């Protein structure tokens, strides 16, 4: 058994791999490394869009893909109202307003890949 620490999209995982043959472990390691590199590429693309004009930031709680945006700029929202809906692991996850306000900006579009903690919208 060998222990590895793997980082995927900023999340760190401790993994234990059982060795069954001399060539099994080296073959698995190169396949995992290239697979992680393309997934990391969408993160920088989402970050520059997070330049909203509002004082209150609405951030993604999980990495995923923007599935739906049920709000518009200028719309009033209450705490708990869905501002953006993210699809992650085949689940629709609403990202809600942290407090009452008016949507100042929506910094993502449907289909955008977002990382956990990315600013999706801002409120005033």
């Amino acid at each position: 058994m060998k222990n590895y620490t793997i980082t995927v999209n900023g999340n760190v995982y401790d993994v234990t791999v059982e060795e069954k043959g001399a060539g099994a472990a080296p073959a698995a390691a190169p396949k995992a490394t290239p697979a992680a590199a393309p997934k990391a590429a969408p993160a920088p693309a989402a970050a520059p869009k997070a330049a909203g004009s509002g004082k209150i930031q609405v951030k993604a709680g999980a990495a995923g893909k923007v599935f739906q945006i049920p709000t518009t700029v200028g719309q009033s929202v209450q705490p708990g109202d869905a501002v953006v809906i993210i699809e992650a692991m085949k689940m629709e996850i609403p990202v809600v307003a942290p407090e009452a306000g008016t949507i100042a900006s929506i910094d993502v579009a449907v289909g955008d890949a977002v990382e956990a903690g990315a600013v999706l919208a801002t409120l005033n």
Side-chain angles (χ1 to χ4, degrees), residues 3-99:
N3 293 324
Y4 296 95
T5 300
I6 300 171
T7 304
V8 178
N9 294 333
N11 295 322
V12 179
Y13 300 94
D14 291 324
V15 179
T16 302
V17 178
E18 180 180 352
E19 293 181 27
K20 291 193 176 190
K31 290 180 184 176
T33 304
K39 292 188 178 217
K49 294 181 181 181
S53 59
K55 297 175 185 175
I56 304 163
Q57 296 181 337
V58 179
K59 297 182 179 183
K65 190 175 189 180
V66 177
F67 178 72
Q68 183 180 19
I69 303 172
T71 56
T72 58
V73 174
Q75 179 178 340
S76 294
V77 292
Q78 296 299 315
D81 287 352
V83 176
V84 176
I85 299 174
I86 293 177
E87 179 182 23
M89 298 189 309
K90 306 222 182 224
M91 295 179 4
E92 294 175 17
I93 304 168
V95 180
V96 299
E99 55 188 86

